[in-house]
Amino acid sequence: MLVIGGGPGGYVAALRARSLGMQVTLVEKENLGGVCLNHGCIPTKTLVHHCEGVSWMKRAVDHGILREGPLVDFAALMADKTRVVRAMVENLRDLVMRNRVRFVQGIASVQEPGVVTVDSGETLQARHIVVATGSREWTPRLSGAELPGVLGTRDILELTKLPEHLTIVGGGMIGQEFASIFASLGSRVTILEALDRILVGVDLDLAKRYLAGLSAKGIECRTGVMVHEIVKSGDGLRVIYVKSNQEKTLETNLVLMATGRRPHLGDSGVDRLGIRMENGAVAVDEFLRTSIDGIWAIGDVLGRQMLAHVASYHGELVAENIAGHQKPVHDDVVPSCAYTAPQIAWVGLTEEAARAAGRAFRTSMFPLSGNGKAFSIDQPTGWMKLVEDSDTGRLIGAHMMGPYVSELLGEVTLALRKGMSAADIVDTIHPHPTISEALREAAAGLLGGSIHAAGRVRTFGPR
């Protein structure tokens, strides 16, 4: 097997294939780990971790525990982020080598099924080729987008000086995460979002509650705006946009373009072979086979849920299918999380999606103001929301906002995958004191009532 792309899909596919006894070559043009490890998940979560420490110190000052607030050395913070990434890349490289995966650094191009050339001049052959080339940043055509100070998500992770004012174009998960990071460090942040809401995909209830708390964190969010142009203005930039048919301007130091990602085939060459595509993404069957025999595809290049954990799941599965196990993909129940402050985590149907599908359902919402752990760590702002199918009694959605709620996603994802009910959650003893108890309280609301706070239960009939 030959894998093109060493991200969380590609390297996992390679390692799983080795465990199944295959000979494996992995070709990657940059560092192992892909965007997630080098320019996304890991560096940003390292920054989030340090920002949580800064936020704790600020709260400690408010409570008189510390006499003065933190003075952050931004350059040192970014250097530590780089240290973490380099260490993990080195560990991953060692893991690949220990498992006797042949690693080739370079740009791979498929010449025909079974034959791949690398820009170093080497020609490689394999019975099976896995395309795991991932995705790339997408930026709308915009005058001034090429100016110095207009950054992509890779660029902003290389800053050494904290901007006084950062403007973020895009109010989705990526934009909100960077807004939380820079606001907690002291930057004034403005978010410009084209839609009339932020965090598309997040339950609207929680998205609205999250939006309501942004101004207190030094984040201004302007929705329903269309950015037309960015121009140089003194030592900074001027953003020109339209809201409600009126042209407005915004002076800022830096602009981050956080407008999403698109599938990326790179120089893999499979498009030249006539591989079937759908909406700019590689089309595969339920076993991750493409339209060309012997070529498979996984992860972001499929244009589905472009998340590292989905790519890794695909990576394991494609290796098993190549080995002859014939396991179909089940990626319809996928957990997602935004590492904002507070975190937002969700899986399954939102209330809006259930309503649009014409389903009869109920929702239960429990506030973290009734949770002992949330109070003890001085973060009692948040909610747990469960969506239950009225006909079957099964849980079909879980939506959480609060400290560390991303760590609870495994429990509710398993519950949805296995068709569990609110009673299954309630009948499971949850440890005290933990945020997970609030999840159980939300489930109890569907069974007649929460204990430690007045929850909210609503019933919706089919359309």
Side-chain angles (χ1 to χ4, degrees):
M1 185 174 87
L2 185 146
V3 184
I4 303 175
Y11 83 75
V12 167
L15 292 171
R16 180 66 180 122
R18 280 297 300 137
S19 72
L20 293 168
M22 285 184 249
Q23 292 182 337
V24 183
T25 299
L26 175 61
V27 185
E28 166 58 50
K29 65 179 180 179
E30 296 182 353
N31 288 331
L32 282 172
V35 170
C36 177
L37 173 50
N38 293 278
H39 312 289
C41 316
I42 299 304
T44 54
K45 281 9 151 224
T46 302
L47 295 178
V48 166
H49 168 68
H50 291 312
C51 289
E52 288 173 349
V54 171
S55 297
W56 175 86
M57 292 183 73
K58 291 177 180 177
R59 292 195 300 271
V61 170
D62 292 339
H63 291 297
I65 299 169
L66 295 179
R67 293 184 178 179
E68 57 184 37
L71 294 175
V72 178
D73 186 328
F74 184 75
L77 178 76
M78 299 301 275
D80 190 65
K81 170 267 303 176
T82 301
R83 175 193 64 80
V84 170
V85 170
R86 286 176 178 171
M88 289 192 65
V89 169
E90 189 61 34
N91 288 343
L92 179 55
R93 191 181 183 93
D94 289 345
L95 180 64
V96 166
M97 296 304 177
R98 284 200 310 273
N99 282 274
R100 300 196 302 277
V101 173
R102 186 188 176 203
F103 176 60
V104 177
Q105 188 98 43
I107 298 174
S109 179
V110 182
Q111 301 303 308
E112 60 183 85
V115 180
V116 173
T117 58
V118 184
D119 58 348
S120 62
E122 187 174 6
T123 298
L124 305 170
Q125 293 185 336
R127 185 176 301 174
H128 299 278
I129 297 171
V130 177
V131 180
T133 48
S135 60
R136 58 181 172 81
E137 293 183 68
W138 176 81
T139 301
R141 292 182 180 179
L142 182 66
S143 177
E146 75 290 344
L147 288 171
V150 180
L151 312 174
T153 53
R154 283 195 181 198
D155 305 320
I156 201 166
L157 287 169
E158 301 306 317
L159 291 179
T160 57
K161 182 180 179 181
L162 184 71
E164 180 180 341
H165 183 196
L166 173 65
T167 296
I168 300 175
V169 180
M173 287 173 58
I174 296 173
Q176 295 295 343
E177 285 188 12
F178 277 108
S180 286
I181 289 169
F182 280 87
S184 68
L185 295 173
S187 294
R188 183 163 59 93
V189 178
T190 303
I191 298 173
L192 302 177
E193 168 56 53
L195 300 178
D196 60 1
R197 60 161 294 178
I198 62 171
L199 292 168
V200 173
V202 173
D203 183 84
L204 186 58
D205 240 353
L206 295 192
K208 286 180 176 179
R209 291 169 190 265
Y210 181 78
L211 176 63
L214 287 182
S215 60
K217 303 178 188 300
I219 301 172
E220 181 186 5
C221 192
R222 305 178 188 180
T223 57
V225 307
M226 186 61 64
V227 177
H228 275 192
E229 186 179 10
I230 303 172
V231 298
K232 187 72 176 169
S233 177
D235 294 332
L237 297 166
R238 177 180 297 128
V239 182
I240 302 169
Y241 65 94
V242 173
K243 181 177 174 64
S244 302
N245 295 320
Q246 291 186 331
E247 186 174 278
K248 299 177 181 293
T249 62
L250 175 67
E251 301 290 332
T252 189
N253 298 114
L254 297 175
V255 175
L256 170 64
M257 301 299 295
T259 47
R261 303 186 66 84
R262 296 291 187 273
H264 181 54
L265 285 172
D267 299 299
S268 64
V270 293
D271 49 338
R272 297 193 303 271
L273 300 180
I275 201 166
R276 189 164 68 88
M277 306 283 289
E278 292 179 355
N279 300 318
V282 177
V284 295
D285 67 7
E286 61 179 332
F287 300 106
L288 300 169
R289 296 177 296 212
T290 72
S291 60
I292 298 177
D293 191 39
I295 300 180
W296 311 65
I298 61 174
D300 285 9
V301 79
L302 305 185
R304 299 180 183 179
Q305 302 97 328
M306 292 194 283
L307 299 166
H309 44 282
V310 173
S312 295
Y313 166 70
H314 288 170
E316 290 190 42
L317 211 61
V318 78
E320 292 168 7
N321 286 337
I322 288 172
H325 293 190
Q326 291 295 290
K327 296 174 66 174
V329 174
H330 295 291
D331 57 7
D332 51 334
V333 179
V334 174
S336 299
C337 42
Y339 290 87
T340 47
Q343 290 182 9
I344 306 172
W346 67 98
V347 63
L349 294 181
T350 62
E351 180 179 314
E352 307 85 71
R355 190 184 294 114
R359 300 180 74 152
F361 66 97
R362 295 196 304 151
T363 66
S364 174
M365 202 160 179
F366 183 83
L368 287 190
S369 57
N371 178 262
K373 179 61 178 289
F375 252 103
S376 69
I377 61 175
D378 197 24
Q379 298 183 63
T381 300
W383 294 267
M384 300 285 174
K385 181 176 184 178
L386 295 177
V387 184
E388 175 195 73
D389 185 283
S390 296
D391 295 329
T392 65
R394 293 180 174 181
L395 296 173
I396 56 175
H399 310 275
M400 304 173 283
M401 186 169 82
Y404 316 122
V405 291
S406 59
E407 303 294 340
L408 304 182
L409 270 176
E411 175 180 351
V412 289
T413 302
L414 179 63
L416 265 64
R417 283 275 290 120
K418 295 301 182 182
M420 294 182 181
S421 67
D424 292 317
I425 301 292
V426 171
D427 290 343
T428 301
I429 298 174
H430 287 63
H432 174 78
T434 63
I435 303 296
S436 70
E437 291 175 285
L439 183 62
R440 183 180 180 276
E441 295 265 20
L446 291 169
L447 300 178
S450 306
I451 300 297
H452 290 94
R456 187 194 72 184
V457 177
R458 296 192 296 174
T459 300
F460 301 86
R463 289 188 301 178

